[in-house]
Amino acid sequence: MNKTLKAVLFVALIAQAARVGGATPAIIPKPTKITAGDGAFQITPKTKVLYTAGDSMLADAAGYLAGRLSLALGEKITAAPSNSAPASGAILLTATQADAKLGPEGYSLTVARNGVIIRAPKPAGAFYGGITLLQLAPPAAFRAPAMVEGVLGGKQTVKPPRPCDEPNIPTARPVSSLTVPCVTIVDKPRFQWRGLLIDPARHFWTIDELKQYVDYMALHKLNSLQIHLTDHQNWCPEILKRPALTPDKKRNADDPERLAKQTYHKPARRYYTQKELKSLVAFATKRFVNIVPEFEMPGHSAAFLRGCPECGCTVEGKLMRGGEVCPGKEKTYKILQGMLDEMLEVFPSKYIHIGADECSKRYWRKCADCKKRMEAEGIKDVTQLHGYFVGRMSKYLQTKSRTLVGWDEILESGAKAGAVGMYWRSGRADKHVEMASKNGQYLVMSPTAHCYFDYVQSPDRKSEPQGFGRSVITLRRTYELEPMPDYIKQTNPKLVLGVQANLWGERMKSFPHILYMTYPRACALSEAGWSAPEGRSYAGFHARLLKHLKRLDAAGVNYRQPTDIDKPK
Ligand code: ACM
Ligand code: ZN
């Protein structure tokens, strides 16, 4: 090799070493475009986090980033407004000169040796630019205090019965600086709805636990948490007009002594005050996560009927409890809509989920009021009666400027465009989804075959905590979710709002357990919802994930360690 060639190679090697350790950064979800630069930027306790003044949500985005950097560096960093050109050594979040084509959640991020600029048309994009910056830094950037029993810094009072119940207690200590490689990233999500569902109606989670869950979602650019607040087993939200729905309240469940004895296996109480729910919404809003409340109706309603028995069907002169409300009685609508009126004050979400799945319609055929209603409205069968009920609730929500969401049963019973259908019955509901798309109906894709996080993650059942049913949803299976059916792609792809995975609560026993079931599959889901399909590969994801797990360790996220079955083929 001649001398000149040697010199050129040497320079190239130095430049390579200065880049991201010679490799593409392990960002999850995978960004649209990464261009590596030379050198690095040091984040230290002296680094300023600045944002252009005037937008309170941009201040939230900057505040969150500053808060995480403070945890990592062990010294308080505050975000400050600034309208002058950023001083050298600062991290700036701004909408100035942002490319409008990046949309409401997109951003560009430039890390140079002398500073970082995140430009985003809207604050959500700036927030996600901040999350990417944290992932460019070493795993310590995800450092957070120990979390036990769902309460930050809390004490563990019972021995975890199974390995999956053990919290992943972070041991990382604060670092003096974070080295971030110089890079330019331009990024925006593929879908606007990137969600998870959690189910406190089956196993109650405290508000602190829900907040912790939301925080971990934000670190993965997941932006929608559906909370299954009601079911046969329990009605969780306090309704001031209907105290009978939360009988726990009467039993003095807020007694400090009972609360002190609460463990993550035995919550002292199983309802949320409206104040607590509002505090959750405020916490999530600062992390750009929308809380979608789900109030099950007309099915999955045994707990509702325990508190409001007058909404049951009437068979042979007797009020029946069962699991479904009576769609024949006018008072059913009055009471449910009155309940919604209160809840709409708590939940600002545009989308309000009414479930409407798995409704057996057990008494509807025999009920005097249902029969009367069907005759008066020219309804032929109980499936149409289900459609009538959903239609009325949808119209009611529209008068309040909200949009009804329901599981794909609402598509089967004839919900009109204007309501969003959530696809879950893989295969069985395909024809309803296709028909709904022809009617211009919006959809969220949450197929059982990829998105049910209460199913075990490995066929090796001996090593896994019990999951729901016999099915297995591996990490790869979640990753392989392609949310866009071909027939919608060719006609109107905008109809698919996005993706969601559901963690039903029947088999969940502890907060570490729900994290174990959620991660790392939620990392795969985040990529299915965010990243462009052309650049996605399971092998690439798996390689990045192995690095990402160190971040989860630093943040205290419990997760299932991938094994041989998860390796790319
Ligand atoms: C569902 O899993 N019943 C939506
Ligand atoms: Zn009835």
Side-chain angles (χ1 to χ4, degrees):
M1 202 184 297
N2 70 36
K3 268 191 190 161
T4 324
L5 190 54
K6 261 192 193 158
V8 168
L9 270 181
F10 181 70
V11 171
L13 274 175
I14 295 282
Q16 169 85 348
R19 269 177 217 154
V20 202
T24 312
I27 311 291
I28 289 181
K30 188 177 184 216
T32 314
K33 188 162 182 236
I34 305 183
T35 312
D38 291 340
F41 175 66
Q42 296 289 331
I43 303 176
T44 72
K46 292 211 176 72
T47 304
K48 290 191 170 64
V49 176
L50 305 174
Y51 58 93
T52 35
D55 188 327
S56 69
M57 293 194 72
L58 191 58
D60 286 343
Y64 184 81
L65 178 60
R68 292 225 73 111
L69 293 176
S70 305
L71 289 173
L73 297 166
E75 282 193 49
K76 181 105 183 117
I77 294 182
T78 38
S82 162
N83 277 336
S84 50
S88 184
I91 299 168
L92 173 71
L93 285 73
T94 183
T96 308
Q97 293 173 20
D99 180 354
K101 287 203 281 301
L102 291 172
E105 295 183 295
Y107 64 92
S108 69
L109 164 68
T110 306
V111 181
R113 289 169 200 251
N114 63 348
V116 176
I117 301 187
I118 298 170
R119 294 189 198 281
K122 296 282 177 217
F127 181 81
Y128 294 132
I131 299 296
T132 300
L133 181 64
L134 294 171
Q135 293 199 7
L136 284 168
F142 267 47
R143 182 180 173 270
M147 191 273 301
V148 183
E149 295 184 2
V151 182
L152 291 176
K155 287 210 163 51
Q156 196 172 344
T157 53
V158 286
K159 190 170 158 29
R162 309 165 297 178
C164 71
D165 296 312
E166 298 261 12
N168 182 3
I169 296 175
T171 52
R173 301 192 58 75
V175 292
S176 56
S177 73
L178 297 161
T179 303
V180 185
C182 290
V183 69
T184 300
I185 293 180
V186 181
D187 196 14
K188 66 176 188 178
R190 180 178 179 200
F191 293 108
Q192 62 174 271
W193 187 306
R194 304 177 302 279
L196 295 177
L197 172 148
I198 195 165
D199 176 12
R202 266 57 169 271
H203 187 111
F204 190 80
W205 309 107
T206 67
I207 284 288
D208 283 331
E209 286 165 336
L210 295 183
K211 286 180 179 170
Q212 188 65 74
Y213 202 71
V214 164
D215 197 45
Y216 294 155
M217 288 176 68
L219 292 170
H220 295 85
K221 303 190 176 104
L222 294 167
N223 67 353
S224 178
L225 178 62
Q226 179 173 335
I227 310 187
H228 187 74
L229 285 165
T230 75
D231 211 300
H232 294 317
Q233 294 85 343
N234 193 21
W235 178 279
C236 299
E238 171 188 48
I239 306 294
L240 300 173
K241 283 196 279 272
R242 301 268 156 201
L245 286 172
T246 46
D248 253 22
K249 230 178 131 175
K250 277 207 231 127
R251 290 197 293 266
N252 198 14
D254 285 337
D255 169 358
E257 252 180 56
R258 280 183 67 143
L259 283 175
K261 283 191 207 134
Q262 169 170 292
T263 71
Y264 55 52
H265 304 284
K266 282 206 173 78
R269 67 167 161 97
R270 303 198 308 141
Y271 76 96
Y272 304 116
T273 65
Q274 292 189 7
K275 193 168 161 218
E276 284 174 325
L277 292 168
K278 282 182 183 163
S279 85
L280 172 66
V281 169
F283 179 93
T285 304
K286 282 191 186 302
R287 286 153 179 78
F288 297 84
V289 174
N290 184 40
I291 301 289
V292 178
E294 182 185 4
F295 310 100
E296 274 276 14
M297 58 182 86
H300 284 268
S301 289
F304 175 77
L305 287 171
R306 285 197 290 277
C308 296
E310 64 272 39
C311 294
C313 278
T314 307
V315 178
E316 291 168 7
K318 260 184 43 204
L319 261 182
M320 311 306 285
R321 287 256 171 117
E324 284 86 38
V325 299
C326 174
K329 292 184 173 63
E330 201 50 36
K331 73 169 73 129
T332 301
Y333 298 93
K334 189 160 176 275
I335 292 176
L336 284 172
Q337 289 168 359
M339 175 281 291
L340 283 176
D341 287 345
E342 273 190 39
M343 288 290 97
L344 298 185
E345 294 289 315
V346 173
F347 297 103
S349 171
K350 173 179 167 192
Y351 298 106
I352 304 294
H353 207 300
I354 67 149
D357 55 322
E358 298 178 312
C359 183
S360 79
K361 312 170 186 91
R362 183 163 153 221
Y363 296 125
W364 293 6
R365 281 183 202 87
K366 299 184 201 148
C367 165
D369 296 304
C370 285
K371 283 198 258 187
K372 249 191 258 162
R373 175 76 62 183
M374 287 168 75
E375 210 176 297
E377 301 289 340
I379 293 171
K380 287 202 290 291
D381 57 30
V382 286
T383 303
Q384 278 190 9
L385 185 57
H386 180 274
Y388 170 84
F389 174 90
V390 173
R392 274 192 69 170
M393 298 314 289
S394 179
K395 272 200 196 123
Y396 186 75
L397 287 169
Q398 274 169 14
T399 66
K400 308 279 173 186
S401 307
R402 309 296 181 99
T403 298
L404 178 144
V405 188
W407 297 107
D408 57 37
E409 282 88 338
I410 72 164
L411 308 177
E412 187 173 0
S413 68
K416 304 279 178 304
V420 174
M422 200 171 254
Y423 172 59
W424 71 281
R425 292 176 296 172
S426 295
R428 272 191 302 153
D430 288 11
K431 59 179 186 292
H432 307 305
V433 168
E434 187 163 358
M435 182 56 77
S437 73
K438 286 187 182 138
N439 295 336
Q441 195 138 9
Y442 286 97
L443 299 157
V444 174
M445 309 311 263
S446 187
T448 320
H450 299 269
C451 296
Y452 269 43
F453 284 2
D454 53 335
Y455 294 179
V456 293
Q457 302 177 65
S458 158
D460 179 8
R461 287 180 179 272
K462 276 196 224 96
S463 66
E464 291 295 311
Q466 191 196 7
F468 194 86
R470 299 293 309 155
S471 303
V472 179
I473 307 278
T474 59
L475 176 67
R476 181 201 309 265
R477 186 106 183 110
T478 299
Y479 192 81
E480 284 170 352
L481 168 68
E482 169 42 54
M484 185 69 69
D486 269 346
Y487 52 86
I488 302 185
K489 190 171 168 188
Q490 277 145 29
T491 50
N492 191 357
K494 286 207 166 64
L495 293 179
V496 176
L497 296 178
V499 298
Q500 181 169 295
N502 307 319
L503 186 64
W504 299 105
E506 288 95 331
R507 303 283 182 275
M508 301 303 122
K509 295 229 169 89
S510 68
F511 191 62
H513 183 199
I514 65 167
L515 295 174
Y516 178 96
M517 299 305 274
T518 306
Y519 294 92
R521 287 184 292 194
C523 307
L525 181 87
S526 84
E527 199 144 310
W530 181 284
S531 307
E534 306 78 38
R536 290 221 278 133
S537 84
Y538 182 69
F541 166 75
H542 185 268
R544 278 177 287 119
L545 180 71
L546 296 183
K547 295 183 181 157
H548 184 70
L549 296 179
K550 297 202 171 61
R551 298 182 191 124
L552 299 188
D553 288 332
V557 183
N558 200 26
Y559 60 86
R560 175 183 171 275
Q561 184 73 47
T563 59
D564 280 353
I565 65 128
D566 303 297
K567 284 193 177 143
K569 286 185 188 122

